[in-house]
Each structure stands twice: as structure tokens, then as C-alpha cells.
Amino acid sequence: MASDKMTVRPKIGLLGGSFNPIHIAHIELALSALKQLPLEHVELLPAGQPWQKDTLSVSREHRLAMLKIAAEDNPKILFNTMEIERDGPTYTVDTVRQLDKNIDYFWLMGTDQLQNFTTWNGWQEIMQTLTLVIAKRPDYSSEIPQAMLDAQVPGKEIIQIFFDEMDISSTEVRQRLANNEDVSDYVHPEVIQYINEHHLYKN
């Protein structure tokens, strides 16, 4: 007899970013999502050429290598090279169109991105395709803009998760590295070793 039970669709988290360099708040956000949501795993999705940022100072290869080092202790944190392999500016909407239609994806982002989300290309399409998961970042409001509330579709409502706010940014890490300051509280020790070996972020 054929089972009439619906096939359970896999649920996967996506965490995009330039990861320039990856720091502990990125990993903690992925771990928080894994604890609070029924995700099989989280994929880190490094951007090739983020359209809202100046040209990145460190190559794709170095950023991907650091990301692999930072994630290797966590079997449920994987990486996805879809964006980093695509030429031209990285737009999330292009990534969304490439995703497997048989998987439910959850897009993790901080409240810093939430406040400018409606400036993203195709933001309504992104909201209709993925479930947005918001984590609080210091100094940014977690209030969801009205336009986003109005654009929600059933089954893809915005989720807010608890996240110990960490006042860390890649910009600050780069500045500290350029000034030869200690970043051991912010960056995985083997990533620091990689940065030093390859003389990254030095003036």
C-alpha cells in the first residue's frame, strides 16, 4: 500500500557574508540557529563580490580557506561555494533562484542587515522563497520594517532567534590586525595562524 504520508522536506540554514575574515560571532550565530530551529545543518555561503561593499582586500581562496578552518570542529556547519564561484557582483536573489526547490531554506542574518533588507535586489522574491531568521546585533534595532511585515507570505513568516549579542565585526578585526593588535578573543586560533602565515590584512 502506498504511503500517503507527505515527504518531510529537509530544512537547511544559510549564512551569507563576505567572511573577511570569519570570526566567532559567525560560528555562534550558526550554532544558535542549529539549537533553536529544526535544521539539518547550516551552510556558510561566502560572497564572491558583495554588491554593497568595496572590492575585498583578500582573495576568495583565502576567505574560503579560513572559513573551512573555522568550521571544521562543527560537523553541522558546512560551506556552500555557489556565490564565490559565480562571476560578477553577488546578489542574494540570484542565489535564491539556484537553490534546490525540494529543500526549505532558512536565511540567517543579523539586525544590521534587517534594517537595509528592503534595498536588496528582489527582496520580496527572497522573502517568498526562504524563511528569514533574524538575530540581534548590537546597536541595531530588531524591529522589522513595516514593508517587510506586509510582504510576508504564509509559511515563510520571519523568525527571530535568541542570540547572545556579540560586538564583533570583520571591519574591527581587520583594523586590529592592521595595527598588530590581539584578535584572539574574536577569531579561531588556527584562522589567526593562517592569517599570519599568509600576511593577510597587514598594512
Side-chain angles (χ1 to χ4, degrees):
M1 195 174 82
S3 166
D4 57 5
K5 255 173 64 176
M6 280 181 64
T7 311
V8 177
R9 290 163 60 88
K11 292 177 167 55
I12 292 175
L14 294 174
L15 176 56
S18 48
F19 300 112
N20 187 33
I22 187 164
H23 52 67
I24 58 171
H26 294 132
I27 298 294
E28 287 303 320
L29 174 50
L31 292 173
S32 294
L34 284 164
K35 280 191 196 118
Q36 295 174 57
L37 301 171
L39 304 177
E40 295 195 359
H41 62 257
V42 170
E43 296 177 7
L44 303 178
L45 193 69
Q49 187 185 325
W51 65 277
Q52 286 185 320
K53 297 191 178 180
D54 295 332
T55 306
L56 297 172
S57 59
V58 165
S59 73
R60 300 171 186 205
E61 292 74 22
H62 282 316
R63 289 187 292 119
L64 190 56
M66 290 187 282
L67 192 147
K68 289 176 180 177
I69 292 167
E72 68 188 358
D73 301 334
N74 298 291
K76 288 198 166 189
I77 301 180
L78 310 178
F79 45 89
N80 181 324
T81 56
M82 184 191 295
E83 289 192 346
I84 214 164
E85 287 167 1
R86 204 163 58 224
D87 288 330
T90 300
Y91 292 107
T92 302
V93 71
D94 294 334
T95 305
V96 165
R97 289 169 184 160
Q98 279 186 271
L99 293 172
D100 187 332
K101 302 290 183 279
N102 299 309
I103 294 174
D104 290 332
Y105 285 99
F106 291 72
W107 187 269
L108 314 180
M109 64 183 193
T111 43
D112 51 335
Q113 292 177 308
L114 173 69
Q115 297 310 323
N116 72 4
F117 185 77
T118 56
T119 67
W120 292 22
N121 268 18
W123 65 271
Q124 292 101 329
E125 183 180 339
I126 296 169
M127 284 188 66
Q128 288 159 10
T129 313
L130 308 169
T131 300
L132 296 184
V133 178
I134 312 298
K136 184 87 173 75
R137 282 291 305 274
D139 305 324
Y140 291 94
S141 167
S142 53
E143 191 174 330
I144 298 167
Q146 189 61 45
M148 290 178 69
L149 291 174
D150 295 343
Q152 290 183 112
V153 293
K156 301 280 185 213
E157 290 87 0
I158 298 166
I159 297 172
Q160 300 213 20
I161 59 169
F162 297 106
F163 180 56
D164 284 336
E165 290 186 41
M166 293 183 156
D167 198 2
I168 308 174
S169 72
S170 293
T171 307
E172 186 186 347
V173 170
R174 289 196 302 273
Q175 284 168 348
R176 283 175 167 268
L177 288 165
N179 297 330
N180 292 315
E181 292 172 27
D182 180 36
V183 292
S184 56
D185 288 345
Y186 306 107
V187 180
H188 189 292
E190 286 179 35
V191 173
I192 296 174
Q193 193 179 332
Y194 183 93
I195 287 168
N196 291 335
E197 276 172 17
H198 294 274
H199 310 290
L200 305 180
Y201 308 111
K202 303 292 183 210
N203 284 334

